[in-house]
Amino acid sequence: MSLADFVPFLPEIFLAVAGLAVLLLGIPMGSRGSRPIIAISIGALAATAVLIFLVGRPTAGPQLILGDMLVIDQFAVFFKVLVLIASALALLMASGYLDRAGYSSGEFAALILFADLGMFVMVSGANLASLYVGLELMALSVYVLVGYFKLEVKSNEGAVKYFVLGAASSAVLLYGISLIYGTTGSLDLETIRSSLTGVPHQNVLLMLGIVLVAFGMLFKVAAVPFHVWTPDAYEGAPTPVTAFISVAPKAVAFAMFLRLFAGTFASEVDHWWMLLWIASAATMIYGNVAALTQDNVKRMLAYSSIAHAGYALMGLVAASDNGTWAVLMYMGVYTFMNLGAFGFVILLESKGYAGERIEDFAGLARRHPAAAAGMLIFMLGLAGIPPTAGFMGKLYLWAATVEAGYVVLAVISVIMSAVSLYYYFRSVVQMYLKDGEAEGEAAAQMLNDRWTGTAIAVCAVLTLVIGLWPAPLVGWAKSGLSALGF
Amino acid sequence: MDFLIANFAEILFYCLAFLTVASAIGVVAFKSPVHAALSLLFCFVMVAALFLLRHAELLAAVQVLVYGGGIMVLFLFVIMLVNVKDLKLEQVFLSGIAPLAVIGGVLLGVLIAFGLVFGVLASGHGDGTALRSVDGDEIGNTEAIGAVLYTKYLVPFEVVSVVLLVAMIAAIVFGRRSAGLEGAGGGGGKTS
């Protein structure tokens, strides 16, 4: 290992240093509100993106670095850029929110940057040790972010539930990893993969290891039956954190899921497809049905994000190249739609409280036509209606699932998408058909926060543009297939 | 006597293993928190002895220093700071989760037994060479761990240092009294 080996690792090193810098800067700059700190953090994220472009991307095929611990490939770059964009948008949304709630921003921004570092290690891990350590760094930062509003009971409750169940799932994942290490004698993904192919494996221990790893990953993507933490953590967390954790950790968990199951354990597909098939179907059905009765928009979006994990799992079940890039594409699309929808929950304020109830959206179309139109775009997108990106994402997933022969699963997801129309359109009906002032209450107001507004506008434009012209994102997602073992 | 000498390692192992499990049960069975903590300490030391039996000297030393030393002190600090005699037993809470805990414990036991039966017993146990050799060169256990930790596993090792930093930030964020703006003149946060 020479110093030159560290050059492709520079983006991660920079992120760690930036996290420390922001943490320290938070002390003298705390009195000036959150905006300077947030601006510096977003600058650091942009600089990281530049570093990835300069040194952190593969020049000729996947490249293993630093003792084969990490792999530099297009697959990792796709998710790294996605994580950077999602965190920058979440930070933009958090800036005004932190000031209004009266919480400090230094630790907040530093935790987001450290979580990003963990996600970077997770998406480029080529060894079960580095994958696990990255996962833990991401998870630990996120637990703290969920409980960041420590004076609010809901925030505490969500954080504790998330932490306890998350720690249990990490233990299950670790036990699975130890069984895989015990049977294959290696933690290196490429070594495990080559030891699995060729030999017909009926090793019970290895099967149990793979199943336990699948359980751990299903927890991280919030799939049924490992979803119980999701509604409470999403509802309790500060809304910008909810926006962040519903997209970035989910996307990187899918990245790790894909690297392990579509890459390393691909030859064992006969043993695990059934498990993921059931999880996918159960997640779609439960997430969509449970969302029907939610009156709290954050909770509704939490159940909807469970359902979306179920859709994306279809791509994994398909276990094909088309399935893999469809998941990448879907995660890219879902990130912008979900961030945008949560952005409106942040901006909507009713009588000094956050406008989280579905009735708070009443009459929005008349008072804030632009905002209502934006919310309409995100709801259409999440439901998967044609002119938006959500439709394109689902279309490729369906195509891959049917192509792989899982027609029943595709049919379930189509039916469930139709069911989801009901709850997504409850807020649309409130915005366009109800008059918020008729009930004798003060109507909810949109806060005028330019930073959050910008973030939402970016999400809305991307949701529409990707829906109308998906070719660039599709091409980019397909380039991720050159990854290790695919 | 010959039997004793020939199987000394096994007999020692089973004695230590029995004491480890017994002290672990003691942690949950003792009513007094101080007794439970002492039982936990004993459990840590026994695990260190088990490591020694497998020629993992560094792990044994770390086990005693970190768990037996550092972590136990923290446990005892908490027990001394919280006046445990005044705490009431939360009967309702505990009885509510008892069936779940039993199911979880049984599941865990089955999983571990499964791993033992199919893994260790089927393949036998190694002679511990892997613990003290790197790339075929046999060196001491401590050197082997150091060599692997600071070369091959450098990245996970460094990332773990950031994990510890995040844990410290977490402790400060949750431990301070107000919302973190007191130094900035912002006062506490809204409590609504």
Side-chain angles (χ1 to χ4, degrees):
Chain A
M1 201 184 293
S2 67
L3 210 55
D5 283 356
F6 285 89
V7 172
F9 194 55
L10 271 177
E12 282 87 348
I13 297 175
F14 180 78
L15 258 184
V17 175
L20 290 172
V22 167
L23 189 64
L24 286 177
L25 282 174
I27 302 166
M29 292 171 74
S31 56
R32 287 182 228 162
S34 64
R35 307 232 184 231
I37 295 281
I38 298 284
I40 291 172
S41 311
I42 293 173
L45 292 175
T48 311
V50 172
L51 274 174
I52 290 175
F53 179 77
L54 291 177
V55 294
R57 67 196 173 112
T59 42
Q63 179 194 354
L64 287 162
I65 57 162
L66 297 171
D68 297 352
M69 278 296 136
L70 300 174
V71 61
I72 301 294
D73 58 14
Q74 205 59 42
F75 179 81
V77 170
F78 178 90
F79 279 104
K80 282 179 184 175
V81 172
L82 191 64
V83 162
L84 287 177
I85 296 172
S87 344
L89 291 173
L91 279 172
L92 271 179
M93 293 177 182
S95 58
Y97 194 82
L98 288 171
D99 287 338
R100 287 195 291 278
Y103 283 87
S104 62
S105 56
E107 293 88 355
F108 186 93
L111 284 169
I112 295 248
L113 292 181
F114 288 137
D116 286 358
L117 173 64
M119 295 187 209
F120 273 35
V121 174
M122 227 174 126
V123 297
S124 57
N127 187 296
L128 288 171
S130 51
L131 278 173
Y132 178 74
V133 168
L135 179 86
E136 278 304 289
L137 177 55
M138 180 272 280
L140 197 66
S141 313
V142 165
Y143 301 146
V144 186
L145 284 171
V146 168
Y148 198 74
F149 280 13
K150 55 181 234 124
L151 299 176
E152 280 169 41
V153 178
K154 268 189 179 176
S155 184
N156 289 331
E157 184 195 339
V160 168
K161 276 187 180 158
Y162 193 11
F163 173 68
V164 170
L165 292 174
S169 85
S170 288
V172 170
L173 181 70
L174 262 188
Y175 190 48
I177 288 177
S178 79
L179 290 179
I180 289 166
Y181 179 60
T183 41
T184 62
S186 177
L187 289 172
D188 188 65
L189 294 188
E190 188 54 32
T191 315
I192 296 173
R193 193 175 72 90
S194 50
S195 79
L196 290 183
T197 46
V199 198
H201 265 274
Q202 289 304 325
N203 192 330
V204 203
L205 213 57
L206 181 74
M207 290 309 122
L208 185 68
I210 291 177
V211 167
L212 290 179
V213 169
F215 283 178
M217 294 317 299
L218 286 174
F219 177 91
K220 296 295 173 200
V221 301
V224 175
F226 306 101
H227 64 280
V228 278
W229 57 275
T230 318
D232 290 318
Y234 282 24
E235 190 192 352
T239 316
V241 174
T242 315
F244 179 67
I245 65 171
S246 68
V247 292
K250 196 177 283 244
V252 294
F254 267 108
M256 183 172 161
F257 218 149
L258 281 172
R259 214 185 264 288
L260 288 176
F261 283 80
T264 310
F265 306 142
S267 55
E268 304 290 312
V269 61
D270 291 343
H271 297 291
W272 54 256
W273 75 264
M274 182 80 98
L275 177 79
L276 294 189
W277 193 101
I278 295 170
S280 172
T283 309
M284 286 188 284
I285 294 172
Y286 179 82
N288 282 312
V289 171
L292 290 177
T293 53
Q294 301 303 324
D295 289 323
N296 181 306
V297 180
K298 267 169 104 175
R299 252 184 127 73
M300 185 270 276
L301 285 172
Y303 281 107
S304 118
S305 91
I306 293 176
H308 282 278
Y311 300 137
L313 274 174
M314 287 197 301
L316 260 168
V317 175
S320 62
D321 281 358
N322 281 342
T324 303
W325 73 255
V327 175
L328 264 68
M329 164 92 188
Y330 198 72
M331 280 297 124
V333 167
Y334 163 80
T335 298
F336 300 117
M337 297 184 305
N338 226 36
L339 275 175
F342 275 115
F344 279 115
V345 182
I346 293 171
L347 279 190
L348 202 63
E349 194 168 80
S350 139
K351 290 173 288 174
Y353 292 93
E356 292 176 6
R357 291 176 311 138
I358 208 133
E359 292 82 29
D360 291 332
F361 283 87
L364 204 64
R366 199 164 37 77
R367 279 174 284 127
H368 303 279
M375 191 68 183
L376 179 66
I377 291 174
F378 297 129
M379 289 297 123
L380 286 173
L382 286 169
I385 303 292
T388 59
F391 173 72
M392 298 314 292
K394 272 187 189 151
L395 188 68
Y396 293 122
L397 277 175
W398 286 330
T401 314
V402 172
E403 186 191 71
Y406 301 107
V407 182
V408 179
L409 193 62
V411 169
I412 292 176
S413 81
V414 172
I415 294 172
M416 283 302 136
S417 297
V419 170
S420 75
L421 269 176
Y422 173 78
Y423 60 80
Y424 288 130
F425 271 69
R426 278 180 73 193
S427 61
V428 174
V429 166
Q430 290 282 349
M431 287 192 302
Y432 282 93
L433 301 178
K434 292 274 162 65
D435 186 2
E437 286 151 11
E439 296 147 33
E441 292 177 17
Q445 287 299 318
M446 295 293 288
L447 291 170
N448 187 14
D449 185 331
R450 202 166 287 169
W451 290 37
T452 310
T454 310
I456 297 174
V458 169
C459 293
V461 168
L462 282 170
T463 305
L464 276 181
V465 167
I466 296 170
L468 295 171
W469 190 42
L473 188 63
V474 168
W476 201 32
K478 276 184 177 165
S479 73
L481 288 178
S482 62
L484 197 74
F486 287 155
Chain B
M1 196 63 202
D2 286 344
F3 174 80
L4 243 173
I5 294 166
N7 297 297
F8 183 65
E10 273 82 4
I11 293 167
L12 195 61
F13 169 78
Y14 282 111
C15 291
L16 289 173
F18 174 77
L19 287 173
T20 312
V21 175
S23 58
I25 292 173
V27 177
V28 280
F30 279 124
K31 271 223 147 52
S32 154
V34 179
H35 289 165
L38 288 177
S39 190
L40 186 63
L41 176 62
F42 189 72
C43 181
F44 286 154
V45 175
M46 285 302 110
V47 171
L50 284 174
F51 280 141
L52 267 185
L53 215 56
R54 297 303 300 148
H55 301 282
E57 296 89 1
L58 182 74
L59 267 183
V62 169
Q63 173 80 14
V64 170
L65 285 177
V66 175
Y67 285 88
I71 291 182
M72 268 327 289
V73 168
L74 282 181
F75 268 108
L76 289 172
F77 256 132
V78 172
I79 291 171
M80 309 261 168
L81 285 176
V82 179
N83 203 350
V84 282
K85 276 182 187 160
D86 297 341
L87 289 181
K88 289 191 195 102
L89 281 178
E90 299 258 5
Q91 288 293 348
V92 185
F93 175 69
L94 285 178
S95 60
I97 62 165
L100 272 180
V102 169
I103 293 170
V106 168
L107 257 178
L108 191 68
V110 168
L111 272 182
I112 291 175
F114 193 84
L116 282 175
V117 169
F118 280 91
V120 185
L121 294 186
S123 59
H125 47 78
D127 55 357
T129 346
L131 287 175
R132 50 181 187 275
S133 61
V134 175
D135 297 334
D137 298 334
E138 212 164 299
I139 44 180
N141 172 237
T142 313
E143 289 93 326
I145 288 183
V148 172
L149 202 59
Y150 292 103
T151 56
K152 185 165 169 50
Y153 289 94
L154 182 69
V155 172
F157 181 72
E158 292 299 334
V159 175
V160 164
S161 67
V162 184
V163 173
L164 290 177
L165 175 69
V166 169
M168 275 197 284
I169 300 173
I172 293 166
V173 165
F174 292 132
R176 66 187 165 200
R177 200 152 293 170
S178 76
L181 290 171
E182 57 277 79
K190 267 195 288 191
T191 45
S192 58

